[in-house]
Amino acid sequence: MSRAGILLLNLGGPERLRDVRPFLYNLFSDPEIIRLRFPVLQAPLAWLISVLRSSKSEKNYQKIGGFSPLREITESQAFALQQALCSAGYPIKTYVGMRYWHPFTEEAIEQIKRDRITDLVILPLYPQFSISTSGSSFRQLEKIWMADPGLQTINYTIIPSWHDCKDYIRAIADLIDGCIDQQPDAHQAHLFFSAHGVPVSYVEEAGDPYQDEVEKCVGLIMKALNRDIPYTLAYQSRVGPIEWLKPYTDEAIVEVAQQGYKELVVVPISFVSDHIETLEEIDIEYREIAINAGIETFIRVPALNTNPDFIQALAKLVIQALSERPVLFSDVCPENAVKLYPQEQWAWGITPSAEVWNGRLAMFGMLGVLLEYFVGSGPLHLLGLM
Ligand SMILES: C=CC1=C(C)c2cc3[nH]c(cc4nc(cc5[nH]c(cc1n2)c(C)c5CCC(=O)O)C(CCC(=O)O)=C4C)c(C)c3C=C
Ligand SMILES: [Fe+2]
């Protein structure tokens, strides 16, 4: 007898303040989040960043009640999707697998095995594909799949990205429409799309299609809205000193205010649920920046959460995926879709490979100097040079 299931993938978030540090450690341990040339440095660096960042993050989680609502919202979405599919004649069980906190993807997979699911649809709750989100979850799932003979009998299919799904676009356009109409003077309003950023190198060096998909998604929403309203797309939540996708949300808000707009309607475009990036970063931090810059009305479009039109859109995506040719890990995993690191093939001259080796030698040299300085012995002593 066949039994169908849906695995909803999301990021996960701390459920108590004391989860913040281990949650950050899990996040920064992911090689798709910090892309290092030396994997041995991943764990120490993740530990260091999680220790350094945790007090700032904890303060932000404290402002939204001391926890992330992502688990509760994702589980409600899963329940609503199961009900919508059941009403449409598809008795399919839903499962939630988070990348960095409970319920972890491994826990969901164990339950899927216990329930003897035979056909599985894998649906990331990120409309746009990024190496750092859906890509990371697919890669982790592929590893789990390859290591477990018990999973080989399950027929699975993946929905890699759905940024252009007609019903999703309609659901979000309707929410935006409602918010624009609430503005005191709808003709004065400026629509401000804020997407989670990624480092520029993801797009320019690794071929992440994220920026392209976000831009296409915004274009489709503007078409569906069919309103003559000016808009801006900017990127939020950057972390660390490297360059991220621009314009940055905080700077772009000030520019829009300087252009004379007084009413801002902010759309969180890469999230389908409320969490720290909507409830704290947009609702508190960006609102303050906007008001200080002269914006008089700041409205944030609600996240889709369990919006019935959105749940119907997901249900349609699942039904369609079940009837189409399966999409496999080999079709979507980052190794196959995007470039990871320069090819390990030696060639003379100023080549990527030579630059990698140059970097490696410099790193080992620096480690040697640090050892000599802090421990008093090291390679220079070994070579009898000190
Ligand atoms: C489209 C969605 C997301 C992308 C792309 C993304 C990339 C990305 N994120 C970080 C670092 C952090 N993200 C954090 C929280 C967080 N990120 C997303 C989504 C995307 N991230 C969500 C939904 C959440 C919220 C989880 C919750 O608790 O509710 C955090 C932790 C919060 C904080 O300390 O600010 C970090 C750190 C990087 C480095 C990255 C791309 C490389
Ligand atoms: Fe993030």
Side-chain angles (χ1 to χ4, degrees):
M1 201 183 97
S2 75
R3 285 169 207 255
I6 302 163
L7 175 58
L8 294 176
L9 300 173
N10 211 333
L11 191 119
E15 294 171 272
R16 293 159 296 200
L17 281 183
R18 70 182 143 100
D19 296 340
V20 170
R21 192 186 296 184
F23 161 75
L24 290 176
Y25 175 79
N26 292 344
L27 189 136
F28 289 113
S29 300
D30 180 353
E32 305 306 340
I33 286 283
I34 300 191
R35 297 159 61 77
L36 293 177
R37 296 193 192 281
F38 301 100
V40 287
L41 296 180
Q42 192 87 40
L45 199 62
W47 176 83
L48 188 68
I49 303 176
S50 60
V51 168
L52 295 176
R53 191 177 170 86
S54 60
S55 69
K56 180 181 172 214
S57 280
E58 275 171 26
K59 276 191 201 118
N60 289 341
Y61 279 104
Q62 218 151 15
K63 287 192 230 160
I64 62 163
F67 67 98
S68 164
L70 199 57
R71 177 178 189 160
E72 197 192 318
I73 296 171
T74 311
E75 285 175 345
S76 304
Q77 287 168 330
F79 182 69
L81 177 59
Q82 189 169 301
Q83 284 200 318
L85 283 163
C86 194
S87 311
Y90 294 86
I92 309 180
K93 196 166 170 195
T94 47
Y95 302 84
V96 171
M98 300 292 197
R99 184 69 183 88
Y100 308 118
W101 205 250
H102 299 279
F104 287 112
T105 309
E106 292 89 336
E107 298 170 41
I109 292 290
E110 282 311 310
Q111 192 57 49
I112 286 167
K113 278 165 47 185
R114 279 196 293 276
D115 290 348
R116 296 173 194 275
I117 293 297
T118 55
D119 298 273
L120 185 69
V121 178
I122 298 168
L123 173 58
L125 285 173
Y126 309 102
Q128 307 90 9
F129 177 96
S130 166
I131 304 170
S132 59
T133 54
S134 307
S136 164
S137 284
F138 296 157
R139 185 181 267 210
Q140 182 204 23
L141 264 176
E142 187 187 32
K143 270 194 205 142
I144 297 175
W145 223 266
M146 284 184 352
D148 189 340
L151 293 172
Q152 305 312 313
T153 52
I154 300 181
N155 303 311
Y156 71 86
T157 184
I158 301 169
I159 302 176
S161 143
W162 37 279
H163 62 283
D164 52 358
C165 163
K166 200 167 67 35
D167 300 291
Y168 153 70
I169 299 286
R170 187 69 266 159
I172 197 155
D174 287 346
L175 282 181
I176 297 171
D177 236 353
C179 287
I180 298 174
D181 290 337
Q182 272 175 39
Q183 292 285 348
D185 180 1
H187 297 292
Q188 287 295 310
H190 191 98
L191 201 50
F192 193 103
F193 293 92
S194 186
H196 196 303
V198 293
V200 168
S201 62
Y202 278 52
V203 176
E204 290 187 357
E205 287 164 32
D208 196 339
Y210 178 71
Q211 183 180 19
D212 196 36
E213 294 196 2
V214 169
E215 286 174 5
K216 278 195 186 129
C217 186
V218 169
L220 290 170
I221 294 170
M222 289 310 295
K223 212 168 159 192
L225 266 178
N226 195 22
R227 292 179 79 133
D228 186 18
I229 178 168
Y231 74 95
T232 297
L233 164 63
Y235 295 89
Q236 67 176 83
S237 321
R238 64 188 187 275
V239 182
I242 52 170
E243 192 189 2
W244 284 53
L245 292 183
K246 280 182 181 151
Y248 298 143
T249 295
D250 46 358
E251 295 171 3
I253 286 178
V254 175
E255 272 170 36
V256 170
Q258 282 167 351
Q259 285 161 23
Y261 292 100
K262 297 284 172 222
E263 295 170 14
L264 214 56
V265 177
V266 181
V267 190
I269 188 60
S270 43
F271 314 118
V272 295
S273 325
D274 272 315
H275 46 71
I276 189 127
E277 259 89 6
T278 56
L279 301 171
E280 196 280 327
E281 203 170 346
I282 298 182
D283 290 358
I284 302 177
E285 290 183 38
Y286 295 145
R287 178 187 300 273
E288 198 181 311
I289 290 175
I291 301 297
N292 287 340
I295 296 290
E296 287 165 9
T297 323
F298 182 100
I299 292 190
R300 201 254 298 169
V301 174
L304 286 161
N305 294 335
T306 50
N307 173 295
D309 296 333
F310 169 56
I311 298 297
Q312 283 301 331
L314 292 183
K316 276 197 198 171
L317 273 173
V318 169
I319 294 169
Q320 191 184 336
L322 283 169
S323 69
E324 287 176 348
R325 184 188 75 83
V327 178
L328 306 178
F329 293 120
S330 53
D331 298 317
V332 297
C333 271
E335 288 103 320
N336 312 317
V338 296
K339 186 177 104 196
L340 282 179
Y341 302 114
Q343 290 277 313
E344 285 288 305
Q345 248 179 11
W346 182 255
W348 292 104
I350 306 173
T351 62
S353 186
E355 278 171 20
V356 168
W357 277 102
N358 191 14
R360 282 178 188 170
L361 290 174
M363 183 90 94
F364 282 124
M366 184 53 102
L367 277 176
V369 172
L370 288 175
L371 263 178
E372 294 287 352
Y373 184 78
F374 286 109
V375 183
S377 67
L380 299 180
H381 275 85
L382 263 178
L383 293 171
L385 296 173
M386 277 182 83

